[in-house]
mmCIF file with all atom_site columns, all heavy atoms in Angstrom:
data_model
loop_
_atom_site.group_PDB
_atom_site.id
_atom_site.type_symbol
_atom_site.label_atom_id
_atom_site.label_alt_id
_atom_site.label_comp_id
_atom_site.label_asym_id
_atom_site.label_entity_id
_atom_site.label_seq_id
_atom_site.pdbx_PDB_ins_code
_atom_site.Cartn_x
_atom_site.Cartn_y
_atom_site.Cartn_z
_atom_site.occupancy
_atom_site.B_iso_or_equiv
_atom_site.pdbx_formal_charge
_atom_site.auth_seq_id
_atom_site.auth_comp_id
_atom_site.auth_asym_id
_atom_site.auth_atom_id
_atom_site.pdbx_PDB_model_num
ATOM   1   N  N   . ILE H 1 55  ? -66.243 155.705 49.445 1.00 0.00 ? 55  ILE H N   1
ATOM   2   C  CA  . ILE H 1 55  ? -65.016 155.594 50.241 1.00 0.00 ? 55  ILE H CA  1
ATOM   3   C  C   . ILE H 1 55  ? -64.545 156.997 50.621 1.00 0.00 ? 55  ILE H C   1
ATOM   4   O  O   . ILE H 1 55  ? -63.676 157.575 49.970 1.00 0.00 ? 55  ILE H O   1
ATOM   5   C  CB  . ILE H 1 55  ? -63.934 154.827 49.454 1.00 0.00 ? 55  ILE H CB  1
ATOM   6   C  CG1 . ILE H 1 55  ? -64.533 153.538 48.862 1.00 0.00 ? 55  ILE H CG1 1
ATOM   7   C  CG2 . ILE H 1 55  ? -62.748 154.499 50.352 1.00 0.00 ? 55  ILE H CG2 1
ATOM   8   C  CD1 . ILE H 1 55  ? -63.660 152.878 47.819 1.00 0.00 ? 55  ILE H CD1 1
ATOM   9   N  N   . PRO Q 2 31  ? -60.359 142.216 42.506 1.00 0.00 ? 31  PRO Q N   1
ATOM   10  C  CA  . PRO Q 2 31  ? -59.508 143.408 42.417 1.00 0.00 ? 31  PRO Q CA  1
ATOM   11  C  C   . PRO Q 2 31  ? -58.110 143.106 41.892 1.00 0.00 ? 31  PRO Q C   1
ATOM   12  O  O   . PRO Q 2 31  ? -57.511 143.931 41.204 1.00 0.00 ? 31  PRO Q O   1
ATOM   13  C  CB  . PRO Q 2 31  ? -59.454 143.895 43.863 1.00 0.00 ? 31  PRO Q CB  1
ATOM   14  C  CG  . PRO Q 2 31  ? -60.756 143.450 44.456 1.00 0.00 ? 31  PRO Q CG  1
ATOM   15  C  CD  . PRO Q 2 31  ? -61.020 142.117 43.822 1.00 0.00 ? 31  PRO Q CD  1
ATOM   16  N  N   . SER Q 2 34  ? -58.177 142.472 38.056 1.00 0.00 ? 34  SER Q N   1
ATOM   17  C  CA  . SER Q 2 34  ? -58.461 143.715 37.340 1.00 0.00 ? 34  SER Q CA  1
ATOM   18  C  C   . SER Q 2 34  ? -57.170 144.411 36.886 1.00 0.00 ? 34  SER Q C   1
ATOM   19  O  O   . SER Q 2 34  ? -57.107 144.987 35.801 1.00 0.00 ? 34  SER Q O   1
ATOM   20  C  CB  . SER Q 2 34  ? -59.276 144.637 38.268 1.00 0.00 ? 34  SER Q CB  1
ATOM   21  O  OG  . SER Q 2 34  ? -59.858 145.706 37.571 1.00 0.00 ? 34  SER Q OG  1
ATOM   22  N  N   . LYS Q 2 66  ? -54.460 150.728 45.853 1.00 0.00 ? 66  LYS Q N   1
ATOM   23  C  CA  . LYS Q 2 66  ? -55.543 149.780 46.185 1.00 0.00 ? 66  LYS Q CA  1
ATOM   24  C  C   . LYS Q 2 66  ? -54.886 148.510 46.718 1.00 0.00 ? 66  LYS Q C   1
ATOM   25  O  O   . LYS Q 2 66  ? -54.792 147.475 46.040 1.00 0.00 ? 66  LYS Q O   1
ATOM   26  C  CB  . LYS Q 2 66  ? -56.486 149.514 45.008 1.00 0.00 ? 66  LYS Q CB  1
ATOM   27  C  CG  . LYS Q 2 66  ? -55.882 149.261 43.646 1.00 0.00 ? 66  LYS Q CG  1
ATOM   28  C  CD  . LYS Q 2 66  ? -56.942 148.762 42.652 1.00 0.00 ? 66  LYS Q CD  1
ATOM   29  C  CE  . LYS Q 2 66  ? -57.279 147.306 42.800 1.00 0.00 ? 66  LYS Q CE  1
ATOM   30  N  NZ  . LYS Q 2 66  ? -58.215 146.774 41.817 1.00 0.00 ? 66  LYS Q NZ  1
ATOM   31  N  N   . HIS Q 2 68  ? -55.588 146.209 48.636 1.00 0.00 ? 68  HIS Q N   1
ATOM   32  C  CA  . HIS Q 2 68  ? -56.289 144.919 48.748 1.00 0.00 ? 68  HIS Q CA  1
ATOM   33  C  C   . HIS Q 2 68  ? -56.005 144.009 47.558 1.00 0.00 ? 68  HIS Q C   1
ATOM   34  O  O   . HIS Q 2 68  ? -56.248 142.809 47.624 1.00 0.00 ? 68  HIS Q O   1
ATOM   35  C  CB  . HIS Q 2 68  ? -57.803 145.128 48.937 1.00 0.00 ? 68  HIS Q CB  1
ATOM   36  C  CG  . HIS Q 2 68  ? -58.451 145.926 47.843 1.00 0.00 ? 68  HIS Q CG  1
ATOM   37  N  ND1 . HIS Q 2 68  ? -58.283 147.282 47.712 1.00 0.00 ? 68  HIS Q ND1 1
ATOM   38  C  CD2 . HIS Q 2 68  ? -59.276 145.561 46.836 1.00 0.00 ? 68  HIS Q CD2 1
ATOM   39  C  CE1 . HIS Q 2 68  ? -58.982 147.717 46.660 1.00 0.00 ? 68  HIS Q CE1 1
ATOM   40  N  NE2 . HIS Q 2 68  ? -59.584 146.689 46.126 1.00 0.00 ? 68  HIS Q NE2 1
ATOM   41  N  N   . THR Q 2 145 ? -54.241 153.157 41.360 1.00 0.00 ? 145 THR Q N   1
ATOM   42  C  CA  . THR Q 2 145 ? -55.356 153.464 42.263 1.00 0.00 ? 145 THR Q CA  1
ATOM   43  C  C   . THR Q 2 145 ? -56.645 152.834 41.745 1.00 0.00 ? 145 THR Q C   1
ATOM   44  O  O   . THR Q 2 145 ? -56.821 152.671 40.535 1.00 0.00 ? 145 THR Q O   1
ATOM   45  C  CB  . THR Q 2 145 ? -55.546 154.990 42.411 1.00 0.00 ? 145 THR Q CB  1
ATOM   46  O  OG1 . THR Q 2 145 ? -56.745 155.253 43.157 1.00 0.00 ? 145 THR Q OG1 1
ATOM   47  C  CG2 . THR Q 2 145 ? -55.699 155.674 41.064 1.00 0.00 ? 145 THR Q CG2 1
ATOM   48  N  N   . GLY Q 2 146 ? -57.537 152.465 42.640 1.00 0.00 ? 146 GLY Q N   1
ATOM   49  C  CA  . GLY Q 2 146 ? -58.862 152.017 42.237 1.00 0.00 ? 146 GLY Q CA  1
ATOM   50  C  C   . GLY Q 2 146 ? -59.684 153.221 41.806 1.00 0.00 ? 146 GLY Q C   1
ATOM   51  O  O   . GLY Q 2 146 ? -59.300 154.377 42.054 1.00 0.00 ? 146 GLY Q O   1
ATOM   52  N  N   . ASP Q 2 147 ? -60.813 152.954 41.155 1.00 0.00 ? 147 ASP Q N   1
ATOM   53  C  CA  . ASP Q 2 147 ? -61.679 154.084 40.783 1.00 0.00 ? 147 ASP Q CA  1
ATOM   54  C  C   . ASP Q 2 147 ? -62.584 154.475 41.949 1.00 0.00 ? 147 ASP Q C   1
ATOM   55  O  O   . ASP Q 2 147 ? -62.813 155.663 42.208 1.00 0.00 ? 147 ASP Q O   1
ATOM   56  C  CB  . ASP Q 2 147 ? -62.478 153.804 39.503 1.00 0.00 ? 147 ASP Q CB  1
ATOM   57  C  CG  . ASP Q 2 147 ? -63.198 152.451 39.497 1.00 0.00 ? 147 ASP Q CG  1
ATOM   58  O  OD1 . ASP Q 2 147 ? -63.127 151.710 40.506 1.00 0.00 ? 147 ASP Q OD1 1
ATOM   59  O  OD2 . ASP Q 2 147 ? -63.835 152.132 38.473 1.00 0.00 ? 147 ASP Q OD2 1
ATOM   60  N  N   . GLY Q 2 148 ? -63.035 153.489 42.723 1.00 0.00 ? 148 GLY Q N   1
ATOM   61  C  CA  . GLY Q 2 148 ? -63.834 153.805 43.910 1.00 0.00 ? 148 GLY Q CA  1
ATOM   62  C  C   . GLY Q 2 148 ? -63.019 154.627 44.895 1.00 0.00 ? 148 GLY Q C   1
ATOM   63  O  O   . GLY Q 2 148 ? -63.506 155.563 45.536 1.00 0.00 ? 148 GLY Q O   1
ATOM   64  N  N   . GLU Q 2 149 ? -61.777 154.268 44.957 1.00 0.00 ? 149 GLU Q N   1
ATOM   65  C  CA  . GLU Q 2 149 ? -60.857 154.931 45.869 1.00 0.00 ? 149 GLU Q CA  1
ATOM   66  C  C   . GLU Q 2 149 ? -60.756 156.432 45.619 1.00 0.00 ? 149 GLU Q C   1
ATOM   67  O  O   . GLU Q 2 149 ? -60.409 157.200 46.534 1.00 0.00 ? 149 GLU Q O   1
ATOM   68  C  CB  . GLU Q 2 149 ? -59.489 154.261 45.663 1.00 0.00 ? 149 GLU Q CB  1
ATOM   69  C  CG  . GLU Q 2 149 ? -58.507 154.513 46.732 1.00 0.00 ? 149 GLU Q CG  1
ATOM   70  C  CD  . GLU Q 2 149 ? -57.111 154.009 46.379 1.00 0.00 ? 149 GLU Q CD  1
ATOM   71  O  OE1 . GLU Q 2 149 ? -56.948 153.171 45.478 1.00 0.00 ? 149 GLU Q OE1 1
ATOM   72  O  OE2 . GLU Q 2 149 ? -56.182 154.477 47.046 1.00 0.00 ? 149 GLU Q OE2 1
ATOM   73  N  N   . ASP Q 2 175 ? -57.382 152.159 37.827 1.00 0.00 ? 175 ASP Q N   1
ATOM   74  C  CA  . ASP Q 2 175 ? -58.056 150.900 37.494 1.00 0.00 ? 175 ASP Q CA  1
ATOM   75  C  C   . ASP Q 2 175 ? -59.547 151.206 37.437 1.00 0.00 ? 175 ASP Q C   1
ATOM   76  O  O   . ASP Q 2 175 ? -60.257 151.141 38.440 1.00 0.00 ? 175 ASP Q O   1
ATOM   77  C  CB  . ASP Q 2 175 ? -57.725 149.862 38.570 1.00 0.00 ? 175 ASP Q CB  1
ATOM   78  C  CG  . ASP Q 2 175 ? -58.612 148.633 38.497 1.00 0.00 ? 175 ASP Q CG  1
ATOM   79  O  OD1 . ASP Q 2 175 ? -59.269 148.418 37.458 1.00 0.00 ? 175 ASP Q OD1 1
ATOM   80  O  OD2 . ASP Q 2 175 ? -58.635 147.876 39.492 1.00 0.00 ? 175 ASP Q OD2 1
ATOM   81  N  N   . HIS Q 2 176 ? -59.999 151.583 36.236 1.00 0.00 ? 176 HIS Q N   1
ATOM   82  C  CA  . HIS Q 2 176 ? -61.392 152.016 36.088 1.00 0.00 ? 176 HIS Q CA  1
ATOM   83  C  C   . HIS Q 2 176 ? -62.258 150.810 35.732 1.00 0.00 ? 176 HIS Q C   1
ATOM   84  O  O   . HIS Q 2 176 ? -62.524 150.536 34.569 1.00 0.00 ? 176 HIS Q O   1
ATOM   85  C  CB  . HIS Q 2 176 ? -61.460 153.088 35.001 1.00 0.00 ? 176 HIS Q CB  1
ATOM   86  C  CG  . HIS Q 2 176 ? -62.797 153.749 34.902 1.00 0.00 ? 176 HIS Q CG  1
ATOM   87  N  ND1 . HIS Q 2 176 ? -63.725 153.738 35.915 1.00 0.00 ? 176 HIS Q ND1 1
ATOM   88  C  CD2 . HIS Q 2 176 ? -63.373 154.470 33.909 1.00 0.00 ? 176 HIS Q CD2 1
ATOM   89  C  CE1 . HIS Q 2 176 ? -64.805 154.404 35.539 1.00 0.00 ? 176 HIS Q CE1 1
ATOM   90  N  NE2 . HIS Q 2 176 ? -64.611 154.853 34.329 1.00 0.00 ? 176 HIS Q NE2 1
ATOM   91  N  N   . ASN Q 2 177 ? -62.680 150.092 36.792 1.00 0.00 ? 177 ASN Q N   1
ATOM   92  C  CA  . ASN Q 2 177 ? -63.499 148.900 36.547 1.00 0.00 ? 177 ASN Q CA  1
ATOM   93  C  C   . ASN Q 2 177 ? -64.960 149.097 36.903 1.00 0.00 ? 177 ASN Q C   1
ATOM   94  O  O   . ASN Q 2 177 ? -65.784 148.199 36.731 1.00 0.00 ? 177 ASN Q O   1
ATOM   95  C  CB  . ASN Q 2 177 ? -62.914 147.685 37.290 1.00 0.00 ? 177 ASN Q CB  1
ATOM   96  C  CG  . ASN Q 2 177 ? -62.825 147.916 38.800 1.00 0.00 ? 177 ASN Q CG  1
ATOM   97  O  OD1 . ASN Q 2 177 ? -63.593 148.698 39.362 1.00 0.00 ? 177 ASN Q OD1 1
ATOM   98  N  ND2 . ASN Q 2 177 ? -61.905 147.231 39.459 1.00 0.00 ? 177 ASN Q ND2 1
ATOM   99  N  N   . GLY Q 2 178 ? -65.296 150.258 37.415 1.00 0.00 ? 178 GLY Q N   1
ATOM   100 C  CA  . GLY Q 2 178 ? -66.704 150.577 37.669 1.00 0.00 ? 178 GLY Q CA  1
ATOM   101 C  C   . GLY Q 2 178 ? -67.284 150.002 38.951 1.00 0.00 ? 178 GLY Q C   1
ATOM   102 O  O   . GLY Q 2 178 ? -68.446 150.237 39.274 1.00 0.00 ? 178 GLY Q O   1
ATOM   103 N  N   . TRP Q 2 179 ? -66.470 149.234 39.680 1.00 0.00 ? 179 TRP Q N   1
ATOM   104 C  CA  . TRP Q 2 179 ? -66.974 148.598 40.904 1.00 0.00 ? 179 TRP Q CA  1
ATOM   105 C  C   . TRP Q 2 179 ? -66.158 148.995 42.120 1.00 0.00 ? 179 TRP Q C   1
ATOM   106 O  O   . TRP Q 2 179 ? -64.967 149.238 42.025 1.00 0.00 ? 179 TRP Q O   1
ATOM   107 C  CB  . TRP Q 2 179 ? -66.893 147.073 40.785 1.00 0.00 ? 179 TRP Q CB  1
ATOM   108 C  CG  . TRP Q 2 179 ? -67.772 146.484 39.745 1.00 0.00 ? 179 TRP Q CG  1
ATOM   109 C  CD1 . TRP Q 2 179 ? -67.402 146.147 38.477 1.00 0.00 ? 179 TRP Q CD1 1
ATOM   110 C  CD2 . TRP Q 2 179 ? -69.157 146.163 39.862 1.00 0.00 ? 179 TRP Q CD2 1
ATOM   111 N  NE1 . TRP Q 2 179 ? -68.478 145.619 37.795 1.00 0.00 ? 179 TRP Q NE1 1
ATOM   112 C  CE2 . TRP Q 2 179 ? -69.559 145.630 38.615 1.00 0.00 ? 179 TRP Q CE2 1
ATOM   113 C  CE3 . TRP Q 2 179 ? -70.102 146.285 40.897 1.00 0.00 ? 179 TRP Q CE3 1
ATOM   114 C  CZ2 . TRP Q 2 179 ? -70.872 145.204 38.386 1.00 0.00 ? 179 TRP Q CZ2 1
ATOM   115 C  CZ3 . TRP Q 2 179 ? -71.399 145.856 40.656 1.00 0.00 ? 179 TRP Q CZ3 1
ATOM   116 C  CH2 . TRP Q 2 179 ? -71.778 145.324 39.412 1.00 0.00 ? 179 TRP Q CH2 1
ATOM   117 N  N   . GLN Q 2 180 ? -66.801 148.999 43.269 1.00 0.00 ? 180 GLN Q N   1
ATOM   118 C  CA  . GLN Q 2 180 ? -66.102 149.146 44.542 1.00 0.00 ? 180 GLN Q CA  1
ATOM   119 C  C   . GLN Q 2 180 ? -66.579 148.030 45.459 1.00 0.00 ? 180 GLN Q C   1
ATOM   120 O  O   . GLN Q 2 180 ? -67.009 146.989 44.973 1.00 0.00 ? 180 GLN Q O   1
ATOM   121 C  CB  . GLN Q 2 180 ? -66.295 150.546 45.113 1.00 0.00 ? 180 GLN Q CB  1
ATOM   122 C  CG  . GLN Q 2 180 ? -67.723 151.030 45.200 1.00 0.00 ? 180 GLN Q CG  1
ATOM   123 C  CD  . GLN Q 2 180 ? -67.778 152.527 45.456 1.00 0.00 ? 180 GLN Q CD  1
ATOM   124 O  OE1 . GLN Q 2 180 ? -68.133 153.307 44.589 1.00 0.00 ? 180 GLN Q OE1 1
ATOM   125 N  NE2 . GLN Q 2 180 ? -67.447 152.934 46.664 1.00 0.00 ? 180 GLN Q NE2 1
ATOM   126 N  N   . SER Q 2 181 ? -66.513 148.191 46.764 1.00 0.00 ? 181 SER Q N   1
ATOM   127 C  CA  . SER Q 2 181 ? -66.867 147.085 47.648 1.00 0.00 ? 181 SER Q CA  1
ATOM   128 C  C   . SER Q 2 181 ? -68.369 146.846 47.707 1.00 0.00 ? 181 SER Q C   1
ATOM   129 O  O   . SER Q 2 181 ? -68.863 145.741 47.512 1.00 0.00 ? 181 SER Q O   1
ATOM   130 C  CB  . SER Q 2 181 ? -66.316 147.352 49.056 1.00 0.00 ? 181 SER Q CB  1
ATOM   131 O  OG  . SER Q 2 181 ? -66.916 146.496 49.992 1.00 0.00 ? 181 SER Q OG  1
ATOM   132 N  N   . GLY Q 2 183 ? -70.824 147.890 45.762 1.00 0.00 ? 183 GLY Q N   1
ATOM   133 C  CA  . GLY Q 2 183 ? -71.588 147.851 44.519 1.00 0.00 ? 183 GLY Q CA  1
ATOM   134 C  C   . GLY Q 2 183 ? -70.883 148.626 43.430 1.00 0.00 ? 183 GLY Q C   1
ATOM   135 O  O   . GLY Q 2 183 ? -69.660 148.775 43.463 1.00 0.00 ? 183 GLY Q O   1
ATOM   136 N  N   . LEU Q 2 185 ? -69.885 151.956 41.057 1.00 0.00 ? 185 LEU Q N   1
ATOM   137 C  CA  . LEU Q 2 185 ? -69.633 153.380 41.295 1.00 0.00 ? 185 LEU Q CA  1
ATOM   138 C  C   . LEU Q 2 185 ? -70.879 154.193 40.960 1.00 0.00 ? 185 LEU Q C   1
ATOM   139 O  O   . LEU Q 2 185 ? -71.155 155.198 41.610 1.00 0.00 ? 185 LEU Q O   1
ATOM   140 C  CB  . LEU Q 2 185 ? -68.456 153.877 40.441 1.00 0.00 ? 185 LEU Q CB  1
ATOM   141 C  CG  . LEU Q 2 185 ? -67.096 153.875 41.139 1.00 0.00 ? 185 LEU Q CG  1
ATOM   142 C  CD1 . LEU Q 2 185 ? -66.605 152.482 41.393 1.00 0.00 ? 185 LEU Q CD1 1
ATOM   143 C  CD2 . LEU Q 2 185 ? -66.077 154.660 40.342 1.00 0.00 ? 185 LEU Q CD2 1
ATOM   144 N  N   . LYS Q 2 239 ? -63.322 144.102 36.343 1.00 0.00 ? 239 LYS Q N   1
ATOM   145 C  CA  . LYS Q 2 239 ? -63.010 143.511 37.642 1.00 0.00 ? 239 LYS Q CA  1
ATOM   146 C  C   . LYS Q 2 239 ? -63.133 141.992 37.518 1.00 0.00 ? 239 LYS Q C   1
ATOM   147 O  O   . LYS Q 2 239 ? -64.155 141.488 37.054 1.00 0.00 ? 239 LYS Q O   1
ATOM   148 C  CB  . LYS Q 2 239 ? -63.962 144.066 38.711 1.00 0.00 ? 239 LYS Q CB  1
ATOM   149 C  CG  . LYS Q 2 239 ? -63.466 143.899 40.140 1.00 0.00 ? 239 LYS Q CG  1
ATOM   150 C  CD  . LYS Q 2 239 ? -64.197 144.825 41.098 1.00 0.00 ? 239 LYS Q CD  1
ATOM   151 C  CE  . LYS Q 2 239 ? -63.875 144.520 42.559 1.00 0.00 ? 239 LYS Q CE  1
ATOM   152 N  NZ  . LYS Q 2 239 ? -64.468 145.493 43.487 1.00 0.00 ? 239 LYS Q NZ  1
ATOM   153 N  N   . ASN Q 2 250 ? -69.213 141.262 41.177 1.00 0.00 ? 250 ASN Q N   1
ATOM   154 C  CA  . ASN Q 2 250 ? -68.595 141.888 42.350 1.00 0.00 ? 250 ASN Q CA  1
ATOM   155 C  C   . ASN Q 2 250 ? -68.634 140.997 43.600 1.00 0.00 ? 250 ASN Q C   1
ATOM   156 O  O   . ASN Q 2 250 ? -68.057 141.341 44.622 1.00 0.00 ? 250 ASN Q O   1
ATOM   157 C  CB  . ASN Q 2 250 ? -69.223 143.252 42.621 1.00 0.00 ? 250 ASN Q CB  1
ATOM   158 C  CG  . ASN Q 2 250 ? -68.237 144.202 43.294 1.00 0.00 ? 250 ASN Q CG  1
ATOM   159 O  OD1 . ASN Q 2 250 ? -67.054 144.234 42.929 1.00 0.00 ? 250 ASN Q OD1 1
ATOM   160 N  ND2 . ASN Q 2 250 ? -68.692 144.952 44.276 1.00 0.00 ? 250 ASN Q ND2 1
ATOM   161 N  N   . HIS Q 2 253 ? -65.307 140.396 44.872 1.00 0.00 ? 253 HIS Q N   1
ATOM   162 C  CA  . HIS Q 2 253 ? -64.487 141.457 45.474 1.00 0.00 ? 253 HIS Q CA  1
ATOM   163 C  C   . HIS Q 2 253 ? -63.594 140.843 46.555 1.00 0.00 ? 253 HIS Q C   1
ATOM   164 O  O   . HIS Q 2 253 ? -62.386 141.051 46.577 1.00 0.00 ? 253 HIS Q O   1
ATOM   165 C  CB  . HIS Q 2 253 ? -65.385 142.550 46.065 1.00 0.00 ? 253 HIS Q CB  1
ATOM   166 C  CG  . HIS Q 2 253 ? -64.600 143.607 46.803 1.00 0.00 ? 253 HIS Q CG  1
ATOM   167 N  ND1 . HIS Q 2 253 ? -63.847 144.542 46.162 1.00 0.00 ? 253 HIS Q ND1 1
ATOM   168 C  CD2 . HIS Q 2 253 ? -64.432 143.828 48.132 1.00 0.00 ? 253 HIS Q CD2 1
ATOM   169 C  CE1 . HIS Q 2 253 ? -63.238 145.328 47.062 1.00 0.00 ? 253 HIS Q CE1 1
ATOM   170 N  NE2 . HIS Q 2 253 ? -63.575 144.906 48.266 1.00 0.00 ? 253 HIS Q NE2 1
HETATM 171 MG MG1 . MG  A 3 .   ? -63.030 149.738 41.239 1.00 0.00 ? 402 MG  A MG1 1
#
Side-chain angles (χ1 to χ4, degrees):
Chain H
I55 312 167
Chain Q
S34 194
K66 45 170 281 184
H68 57 287
T145 173
D147 49 2
E149 196 189 341
D175 167 16
H176 189 20
N177 59 27
W179 295 97
Q180 51 194 108
S181 165
L185 265 69
K239 199 162 171 174
N250 209 41
H253 175 73

